[in-house]
Amino acid sequence: MQWEQNEIDLAKQLIFERFSDDEESFDLALRHLELVMQYSQEINLTSIKDFNQAIFFHIYDSLLGLPYMLKENSYTDGSIEARFVDIGSGAGYPGIPLAIYSGLNGMLVESIQKKAVYLCQFVDELGLSDKLQVEAVRAEKLAISRPGAFDFVCARAVASLASLMELTSPLLKPNGILIAYKGPASIEEAQNAKGIEKLLGMSIELLEESVLPV
């Protein structure tokens, strides 16, 4: 698969500057993206067909949640065994890059069986089988079987914020963190979700705006 080397170098520089300068992690995240682009010819895993854009829209964008997972006081029970779950993982974003860079164990949840099969293949080919579990199940059912199991819940382009909070609150440990990747309507969504914070035992702590360097 052909990549524009100057685009790879630019992405690497920006990721190194903002997130981590670990070469091995970058190469593994890049390999994941190559697999996604390759298998997207068989199943719709991503609507982005340009390799150079995909590295920013998928890898860089996924890593925007990394700092919140790495803060010392983020681990809700003081344990280094913190776990995360990626709801509606699709092609493995943001879950796979977050697992690669954070070193945390996690679960990729994808209700569409065909996509879950590809996720299993990605995890295996990337050598992440000891860190990531794939479940082909809806989040509502997972909440019944694994209540309060996760320190972090991540979700990218999944439902409105209010709906996402209702969906994911049963999965979080006490003081757990929901990392919601949202688009331009995030401020409006946050305002609409204010009314259910107390009901769910959650609070919207931070809205951070980021612009992708593309």
Side-chain angles (χ1 to χ4, degrees):
M1 185 168 293
Q2 297 297 314
W3 292 79
E4 292 290 339
Q5 188 59 47
N6 62 328
E7 293 292 338
I8 295 178
D9 291 342
L10 174 60
K12 180 187 291 189
Q13 177 186 345
L14 293 172
I15 288 173
F16 278 20
E17 289 176 354
R18 182 162 185 176
F19 304 112
S20 167
D21 62 358
D22 187 81
E23 190 93 28
E24 186 176 342
S25 294
F26 179 81
D27 290 343
L28 196 58
L30 197 65
R31 175 59 184 149
H32 170 222
L33 182 56
E34 288 176 339
L35 290 171
V36 170
M37 302 301 282
Q38 175 185 339
Y39 287 108
S40 283
Q41 299 174 37
E42 301 175 10
I43 183 174
N44 183 25
L45 294 172
T46 176
S47 60
I48 300 171
K49 306 304 180 185
D50 183 272
F51 301 145
N52 303 329
Q53 288 187 0
I55 195 169
F56 292 105
F57 279 97
H58 288 319
I59 300 176
Y60 187 98
D61 186 60
S62 292
L63 292 177
L64 290 172
L66 182 66
Y68 306 105
M69 296 174 70
L70 294 183
K71 287 180 180 178
E72 281 187 39
N73 61 357
S74 288
Y75 302 130
T76 55
D77 58 3
S79 168
I80 62 171
E81 299 297 329
R83 287 179 56 82
F84 74 90
V85 59
D86 176 14
I87 299 297
S89 190
Y93 297 110
I96 290 180
L98 289 175
I100 290 171
Y101 277 86
S102 72
L104 298 180
N105 293 333
M107 180 184 292
L108 308 179
V109 173
E110 175 50 60
S111 62
I112 299 175
Q113 181 67 41
K114 288 184 178 180
K115 290 185 177 181
V117 169
Y118 281 94
L119 279 177
C120 289
Q121 185 170 341
F122 296 161
V123 167
D124 184 58
E125 290 195 33
L126 295 169
L128 296 172
S129 298
D130 62 332
K131 300 197 72 63
L132 285 173
Q133 177 183 354
V134 177
E135 291 287 344
V137 66
R138 295 186 64 84
E140 296 92 333
K141 289 190 176 181
L142 183 66
I144 295 173
S145 62
R146 301 292 297 275
F150 301 97
D151 299 88
F152 307 98
V153 174
C154 306
R156 185 173 179 244
V158 176
S160 68
L161 183 58
S163 297
L164 188 58
M165 289 167 63
E166 290 186 76
L167 190 66
T168 61
S169 59
L171 292 166
L172 285 166
K173 292 181 180 180
N175 299 314
I177 297 173
L178 167 63
I179 303 173
Y181 296 70
K182 307 300 297 181
S186 59
I187 295 177
E188 181 181 351
E189 287 191 27
Q191 291 173 341
N192 292 337
K194 284 287 185 182
I196 62 169
E197 286 181 297
K198 184 176 294 186
L199 177 66
L200 297 175
M202 301 178 74
S203 63
I204 300 171
E205 298 289 339
L206 177 67
L207 290 176
E208 180 174 326
E209 182 177 354
S210 294
V211 179
L212 296 181
V214 290

